[in-house]
Amino acid sequence: MTTPRPADTPAVPAAARPTEWPLWEVFVRSRRGLSHTHAGSLHAPDAAMALRNARDLYTRRSEGVSIWVVPSTQVTASSPDEKDAFFEPAGDKPYRHPTFYEIPDGVQHL
Amino acid sequence: MTTIAPEEPALEAVFDATVAADERIEPRDWMPDAYRSTLVRQIAQHAHSEIIGMQPEANWITRAPSLRRKAILMAKVQDEAGHGLYLYSAAETLGTSRDELLDKLHTGRQKYSSIFNYPTLTWADVGAIGWLVDGAAITNQVPLCRCSYGPYARAMVRICKEESFHQRQGYELLMALSRGTEAQHAMAQDAVNRWWWPSLMMFGPPDDESAHSAQSMAWKIKRHSNDELRQRFVDICVPQAEALGLTLPDPDLTWNEERGHFDFGPIDWAEFWDVLKGNGPCNEQRISRRRRAHEDGAWVREAAAAHAAKHGKADR
Ligand SMILES: [Fe+2]
Ligand SMILES: [Fe+2]
């Protein structure tokens, strides 16, 4: 159902690259009132450096007011192969959308 | 990296349909091995170009003629480092690693754009690079924002947003020189004379000699042919040069009413292949400086890793 490997992480085992700093996913809140969105990824030895690198890499033009960094290995992603089956429960429920319902013309505030 | 499963034909059909529908392929989707390796080669070469491309311009940071120009040039060179990092990240989603990519650059197994093997002889070269080299790069890169591979397309969107300042600062710089003293004007003209033809070569060999073009177009990695983009660039540049009060070093450059495009003279492809083979003026210097910078930085990487291990902040 789910795999403990994030959507955008390479399949190279960590042991194959022992000197490389770990990979972090970067999420940026562009301004107050908006949620953090994925900006990209970067390498850093630890969380503090990941934050500093993320600031230099993804907010050089004031693109953010807040940054999250998450070790890429900590992201659990749904598998694209199971796309249809996994999301199928929502597929046959159009009655979850307001447009499903017929309301006579002239009825207001509904 | 690709898992060869018994249902491969079905997976390939899904891949083909996704590309045909102009949707994006994402990292963990099944993709043909050749699609993956083509992307790794192209994105890596692109990333290496951004990183190597910092050198010719960095050459002038300490000698910029004003604080304003120095701050601008530092910001531009820093952007190019950022572009390299966006692109390395995109390449890594295909299953390669940062160390492997850098190693291939340092050992000459992966290439970078030939344009960066030319020297920056005067301050005007900084202007010519911004206007022409970044300009050609933008012409190449805008269509890549719609590339079929999601992470590459997203990196290109960021990069294209940032490139536009690069081109404008170069143009403004040349404008200042062109309207300056006679010597300054001559310096600007000389820089344009030297960078014009190499910039046209940035679009790659002519369509009938381009090894990977047809397949890349079919996969929607590429959206326009080399010659198409080169023509687009020439058409854009001619009026811009006129506004600068500078000429482009091509006696055959004439408006062709019938085609609706500018005709231009033959490109010296022998020079292009020669520089690509390693015989350009700066090939040796660029790569040895890059290697040295990497080696000189080793202790910093090791110290940071040791610090992280000691304080357990990396969590692994
Ligand atoms: Fe760039
Ligand atoms: Fe640039």
Side-chain angles (χ1 to χ4, degrees):
Chain A
M1 164 79 63
T2 56
T3 46
R5 193 155 60 82
D8 289 3
T9 305
V12 180
R17 38 191 170 98
T19 61
E20 208 172 82
W21 289 343
L23 195 65
W24 301 76
E25 301 302 321
V26 179
F27 300 82
V28 175
R29 183 201 295 287
S30 58
R31 57 185 164 83
R32 289 176 178 279
L34 297 180
S35 51
H36 288 74
T37 46
H38 187 239
S41 54
L42 51 75
H43 289 273
D46 57 32
M49 283 301 294
L51 271 181
R52 296 180 78 100
N53 290 354
R55 178 201 60 189
D56 292 345
L57 191 55
Y58 292 108
T59 62
R60 284 196 302 285
R61 289 172 175 78
S62 316
E63 291 98 331
V65 294
S66 163
I67 299 176
W68 293 344
V69 291
V70 182
S72 300
T73 51
Q74 297 299 305
V75 178
T76 303
S78 66
S79 161
D81 313 343
E82 299 168 61
K83 189 179 151 205
D84 294 342
F86 190 64
F87 295 103
E88 189 257 339
D92 59 354
K93 296 177 181 62
Y95 44 84
R96 283 177 171 164
H97 299 275
T99 47
F100 181 77
Y101 301 92
E102 264 177 57
I103 306 292
D105 289 349
V107 178
Q108 292 188 336
H109 306 300
L110 198 69
Chain B
M1 208 52 51
T2 306
T3 7
I4 305 295
E7 64 273 22
E8 186 162 318
L11 293 171
E12 184 147 21
V14 172
F15 171 86
D16 289 343
T18 307
V19 172
D22 242 335
E23 288 197 36
R24 299 291 174 264
I25 302 297
E26 294 295 343
R28 301 202 318 149
D29 288 339
W30 183 92
M31 62 188 86
D33 285 340
Y35 177 82
R36 187 185 297 274
S37 59
T38 297
L39 278 168
V40 170
R41 179 173 40 77
Q42 179 173 335
I43 300 173
Q45 174 168 339
H46 196 160
H48 299 329
S49 301
E50 303 280 358
I51 298 296
I52 295 287
M54 296 163 73
Q55 290 186 36
E57 292 184 286
N59 183 35
W60 282 94
I61 289 178
T62 56
R63 290 172 288 169
S66 69
L67 207 51
R68 176 179 184 268
R69 291 291 176 194
K70 184 182 287 203
I72 290 169
L73 188 53
M74 285 201 299
K76 179 184 191 287
V77 172
Q78 192 187 13
D79 269 358
E80 305 301 4
H83 297 174
L85 294 180
Y86 306 153
L87 289 162
Y88 283 128
S89 292
E92 283 174 278
T93 65
L94 292 158
T96 180
S97 75
R98 185 76 53 102
D99 282 352
E100 190 182 334
L101 294 169
L102 288 178
D103 194 53
K104 284 184 172 159
L105 169 64
H106 297 155
T107 54
R109 282 175 294 156
Q110 279 173 349
K111 302 218 171 296
Y112 56 89
S113 176
S114 269
I115 191 82
F116 301 116
N117 290 317
Y118 291 88
T120 40
L121 302 179
T122 71
W123 169 250
D125 287 32
V126 172
I129 288 181
W131 176 40
L132 296 174
V133 176
D134 287 273
I138 292 171
T139 308
N140 256 331
Q141 289 170 358
V142 166
L144 285 173
C145 296
R146 295 188 301 124
C147 162
S148 61
Y149 188 57
Y152 191 27
R154 291 192 284 277
M156 292 320 307
V157 169
R158 285 193 81 88
I159 289 175
C160 285
K161 268 189 207 153
E162 300 183 354
E163 285 295 346
S164 123
F165 126 64
H166 297 182
Q167 195 187 17
R168 288 173 68 106
Q169 65 83 33
Y171 193 81
E172 187 205 64
L173 192 167
L174 282 180
M175 187 67 92
L177 290 175
S178 178
R179 291 178 176 172
T181 64
E182 210 172 296
Q184 287 171 332
H185 181 91
M187 185 165 81
Q189 184 62 61
D190 169 65
V192 169
N193 291 349
R194 283 181 289 106
W195 287 95
W196 173 248
W197 290 107
S199 298
L200 293 193
M201 294 177 198
M202 282 176 72
F203 297 93
D207 293 347
D208 45 8
E209 288 168 38
S210 178
H212 309 289
S213 270
Q215 181 60 71
S216 285
M217 301 265 277
W219 277 329
K220 297 191 184 171
I221 294 173
K222 233 175 126 102
R223 297 279 181 163
H224 307 280
S225 78
N226 296 353
D227 286 333
E228 226 177 301
L229 292 168
R230 187 167 14 245
Q231 180 71 61
R232 186 178 297 178
F233 179 66
V234 171
D235 291 347
I236 288 171
C237 284
V238 173
Q240 290 178 347
E242 218 164 282
L244 276 175
L246 298 172
T247 58
L248 297 170
D250 180 357
D252 297 332
L253 204 54
T254 43
W255 176 250
N256 183 323
E257 191 66 55
E258 206 175 305
R259 292 200 310 127
H261 292 292
F262 283 93
D263 289 336
F264 52 97
I267 293 171
D268 182 0
W269 291 109
E271 175 183 321
F272 174 78
W273 293 114
D274 200 41
V275 175
L276 200 68
K277 261 186 240 139
N279 303 322
C282 300
N283 296 56
E284 185 51 44
Q285 179 189 334
R286 300 287 186 244
I287 209 69
S288 64
R289 189 163 292 175
R290 173 61 221 154
R291 266 194 230 117
R292 183 155 30 93
H294 190 69
E295 285 157 16
D296 289 351
W299 73 271
V300 179
R301 293 191 295 277
E302 283 157 20
H307 180 269
K310 189 170 169 188
H311 296 273
K313 280 181 191 155
D315 256 333
R316 73 211 58 221

